[in-house]
Amino acid sequence: MNRFDLAVVGAGPAGMAAAREAAEAGLCVALVDEQPRVGGQIYRNVERVEAPLAAVLGKEFMSGAGLAKDVQHAGITHLAGFSVLAFEKGKLALGAASGAMRIEAREVLLATGAIERPMPMPGWTLPGVMGAGAAQVMLKQSGLAVENAVLVGSGPLLHLVAVQLTRAGAPPRAIVETRRRGDARRAVMKWRLALRAMPYIKRSLANLTELRNAGVRRYMGSRDVALLGERRVESVVFASGGRRREVPCDVALLHHGVIPHVQASRAAGVSHIWSESQMAYVPECDIWGRTDAPHVWVAGDGAWIGGARVAELSGRIAALGIAHDLGYVRSVERDRRMAAWFEEREFELSLRPLIDRAFPPYEAALTPEDSVAVCRCEEVTAGQVRAAVAAGATNVGDAKVMTRVGMGRCQGRMCFPSVARIVAEARDVPVVDAGQLSARPPIKPVTLGALAQMHYGAGAKEGDAHDD
């Protein structure tokens, strides 16, 4: 079995920064990621992007090239294309298309990033409907821009994807924004916060100006949004400005915020708490990223949504905290190097309330109407979940038993936020009282063939199999 001082799960900004810091401190590091190259979702494929596409994606995206280059270090073993299937006392089972393997680490840092908040609404299961982040992945990975798209929802990513599609020669047909104009005004009313966030506000205004100059129509305060079509999505219908509107499209891109991706941290036994500001469960950890699960740490958007820079800083902080605990770095050196990182991270996180106020999620998608499917894997509707509560379900676990919600391939990763809110609303209790779904191995789907091929890595000893 391959043994490491530290296993970093996720090769986004937090994971890349953590791996480099730990390796520089002398640790033997395994960097595990599902993708063939480092970068995560934010900096996906940044090492291979050429000049024309770099201009489309923008300088913020290209800033990740330095982090990707830093991973090329003798102390880092990049296990590309591997998903974490299970944890057990420092042992990690990994799965890939080529098979499965196990590694062992003294400490594990989960840098699993964020996922888009699910946005169930009428018609969202039609072919041609996907997350805005998925369209961005296509652009970063293959240089492919979706055409004749309508973007629906709320959030800075919605504007960014629209700008990137426009630069790529495929401007969207329209942006159907569920936030109201007053949301942005109320956000900037916090003038001290707005002054600190001025660089971000200027960037946002520049994006909106670019879209306006390109003739991209924006509909604010949109309500009663539905996606129509027979065999695939054909149009988006909604109410805006006192009128019922319809915009034809070939693709609908949905987005109303991101939430921490906590499936791995839940499977690792980390305690989670409900965050009202994030409208999601987040792992409990200290300022270093240390959790209550022995030898398990978290960093980046998988711990708290803060963006790329916060994720990078959190990765560096956690790595030095781990290096200190393992005896590679003295307290004085750790604290000296940490001071500036802590200060910058706190500043960046202090700006987050501005974004939360300016881009609230779409309320109708948080608790959708009865006919809308909330669990796409098992085709369970919001009405079926409410019926389960009426029949005696007191938490999401009961609803799972009664309806199969959360029992599909994603194991509740996509439907749990919606189901928890529906159960809480139906019982008229806080979301935290609706409970959580259990996270059991395998964390990601794996074939029996891959499990049968599981090995212990190069240099495994004959007795290792008996030690597991």
Side-chain angles (χ1 to χ4, degrees):
M1 181 182 294
N2 288 324
R3 292 176 171 83
F4 300 89
D5 294 311
L6 171 64
V8 179
V9 180
M16 290 188 294
R20 178 67 184 208
E21 286 296 332
E24 287 287 334
L27 279 70
C28 180
V29 181
L31 180 59
V32 183
D33 194 76
E34 296 176 338
Q35 302 303 321
R37 286 175 289 276
V38 297
Q41 300 298 353
I42 293 179
Y43 299 130
R44 178 185 284 262
N45 207 36
V46 68
E47 294 175 292
R48 296 168 63 90
V49 169
E50 297 181 354
L53 184 54
V56 167
L57 297 173
K59 64 180 182 180
E60 286 78 22
F61 170 77
M62 293 308 301
S63 67
L67 282 174
K69 186 177 180 180
D70 285 346
V71 173
Q72 299 169 17
H73 187 284
I76 299 173
T77 300
H78 180 205
L79 299 175
F82 280 93
S83 299
V84 175
L85 305 177
F87 294 86
E88 186 180 359
K89 296 180 180 178
K91 297 181 176 67
L92 286 77
L94 310 178
S98 58
M101 65 180 295
R102 295 180 183 178
I103 64 172
E104 184 174 358
R106 298 169 67 187
E107 304 287 333
V108 176
L109 173 62
L110 301 176
T112 49
I115 58 173
E116 288 188 271
R117 189 192 307 276
M119 198 173 178
M121 61 172 58
W124 80 307
T125 58
L126 285 169
V129 180
M130 58 185 181
Q136 193 182 51
V137 165
M138 289 173 58
L139 194 56
K140 293 175 180 178
Q141 190 70 39
S142 306
L144 299 176
V146 296
E147 298 181 347
N148 296 319
V150 172
L151 285 83
V152 181
S154 173
L157 182 66
L158 210 65
H159 296 160
L160 178 59
V161 171
V163 166
Q164 291 170 338
L165 291 177
T166 299
R167 292 173 183 169
R173 298 290 302 270
I175 304 176
V176 178
E177 294 203 52
T178 56
R179 69 163 182 156
R180 296 160 294 185
R181 296 188 188 278
D183 293 327
R185 286 196 295 268
R186 278 188 291 273
V188 297
M189 288 282 287
K190 303 287 185 180
W191 63 271
R192 288 190 178 88
L193 187 61
L195 285 175
R196 293 202 301 270
M198 193 53 64
Y200 296 96
I201 293 174
K202 288 181 178 179
R203 188 186 308 165
S204 178
L205 293 174
N207 285 341
L208 293 178
T209 299
E210 190 170 346
L211 292 172
R212 183 171 60 250
N213 292 341
V216 177
R217 187 70 183 271
R218 293 172 60 221
Y219 297 94
M220 301 295 293
S222 301
R223 292 292 180 267
D224 303 323
V225 184
L227 311 173
L228 303 183
E230 293 295 330
R231 295 178 180 273
R232 58 174 296 110
V233 66
E234 297 172 0
S235 65
V236 179
V237 296
F238 56 98
S240 177
R243 294 174 51 192
R244 191 69 177 163
R245 304 174 187 271
E246 181 171 357
V247 180
C249 63
D250 294 329
V251 178
L253 305 177
L254 309 182
H255 178 81
H256 69 153
V258 295
I259 55 178
H261 191 184
V262 296
Q263 198 79 349
S265 53
R266 288 173 55 225
V270 175
S271 296
H272 289 69
I273 57 174
W274 175 259
S275 166
E276 196 59 42
S277 62
Q278 304 266 295
M279 292 191 186
Y281 277 96
V282 299
E284 278 195 277
C285 62
D286 62 17
I287 59 173
W288 308 95
R290 185 186 293 106
T291 73
D292 60 350
H295 310 293
V296 177
W297 305 61
V298 293
D301 280 349
W304 190 266
I305 302 300
R309 182 56 181 165
V310 169
E312 178 186 340
L313 293 167
S314 297
R316 296 190 190 282
I317 289 169
L320 274 192
I322 292 167
H324 171 267
D325 281 13
L326 294 180
Y328 285 87
V329 176
R330 293 185 178 183
S331 298
V332 173
E333 175 65 12
R334 178 200 64 178
D335 296 343
R336 182 187 65 80
R337 297 183 60 189
M338 293 287 193
W341 293 341
F342 275 131
E343 184 177 351
E344 185 180 355
R345 186 176 69 172
E346 288 306 306
F347 171 78
E348 292 287 336
L349 286 175
S350 73
L351 307 179
R352 190 70 205 180
L354 185 71
I355 298 174
D356 295 336
R357 291 190 187 99
F359 298 98
Y362 180 39
E363 190 64 36
L366 294 177
T367 50
E369 58 190 63
D370 283 351
S371 61
V372 175
V374 290
C375 176
R376 301 178 66 149
C377 298
E378 296 295 324
E379 299 181 343
V380 180
T381 66
Q384 288 174 293
V385 176
R386 293 186 178 104
V389 174
T394 61
N395 54 51
V396 293
D398 293 343
K400 178 179 179 179
V401 170
M402 297 170 72
T403 68
R404 292 189 59 83
V405 68
M407 295 181 70
R409 284 178 61 85
C410 86
Q411 297 187 49
R413 276 190 297 277
M414 295 304 299
C415 64
F416 169 66
S418 299
V419 175
R421 290 188 68 93
I422 292 169
V423 170
E425 182 187 66
R427 292 189 55 219
D428 194 23
V429 298
V431 176
V432 69
D433 290 341
Q436 301 182 53
L437 293 176
S438 300
R440 299 185 177 91
I443 299 172
K444 290 291 182 73
V446 60
T447 65
L448 292 177
L451 290 178
Q453 295 171 20
M454 183 172 285
H455 60 88
Y456 298 93
K461 296 179 181 178
E462 207 172 82
D464 280 343
H466 304 289
D467 294 335
D468 295 330

